[in-house]
Amino acid sequence: MKFKSVYRQTFTALLISFTILMALRIWLYFSYPNDFVMLDTRETLLSFLMGFRVDMSTLFTFLALPILLAIVPVKRLLHPTYRKTLGILWSMMLLVIVMIIVGDILYFGFVHRHLASEL
């Protein structure tokens, strides 16, 4: 994909990352509807908003270095090989986060608690 600027490229990568994490949260919601039946619409929307905040915290904690390296305005850092390497690093870190979340969703099906409460 061609981007007009490194900022647009980084913003697009962040948007895709947030979309993936929100899709996983929606998967959890629809996989275990009996656990969320007591929530009304307002509470459900607030829980998704709180989940977005958790996603933001997670992404910016673990991807802070790749984000900073992606937006540093240094000409040498615009080289395509550097950008591809940074994209692979970003993807691998996001993949680890997604695998942990998928494990949490599967664990939730057995004990109806999140993995974080056990750790």
Side-chain angles (χ1 to χ4, degrees):
M1 290 174 65
K2 280 292 227 187
F3 293 95
K4 291 184 180 182
S5 71
V6 295
Y7 303 112
R8 185 170 290 189
Q9 183 182 27
T10 305
F11 179 76
T12 302
L14 274 172
L15 190 63
I16 291 169
S17 300
F18 281 125
T19 303
I20 290 169
L21 295 183
M22 187 56 74
L24 290 170
R25 189 168 312 286
I26 292 169
W27 176 35
L28 172 72
Y29 180 76
F30 285 112
S31 293
Y32 309 107
N34 293 335
D35 291 311
F36 304 106
V37 73
M38 64 244 164
L39 298 177
D40 62 11
T41 304
R42 181 180 173 277
E43 291 171 330
T44 302
L45 291 175
L46 285 175
S47 69
F48 274 100
L49 181 63
M50 183 64 72
F52 179 74
R53 289 178 54 198
V54 169
D55 293 344
M56 235 181 359
S57 160
T58 301
L59 283 179
F60 287 127
T61 298
F62 292 104
L63 294 175
L65 185 60
I67 291 170
L68 288 175
L69 291 174
I71 62 173
V72 172
V74 176
K75 187 166 178 75
R76 184 181 301 164
L77 301 180
L78 297 176
H79 193 273
T81 304
Y82 171 79
R83 303 302 292 177
K84 288 178 185 176
T85 305
L86 193 59
I88 290 169
L89 174 67
W90 185 307
S91 300
M92 288 180 4
M93 293 175 87
L94 183 62
L95 181 65
V96 169
I97 293 169
V98 166
M99 287 182 348
I100 291 170
I101 293 172
V102 168
D104 182 53
I105 291 171
L106 297 175
Y107 181 76
F108 189 87
F110 291 107
V111 296
H112 300 281
R113 289 189 308 266
H114 287 288
L115 195 58
S117 62
E118 298 299 319
L119 297 175

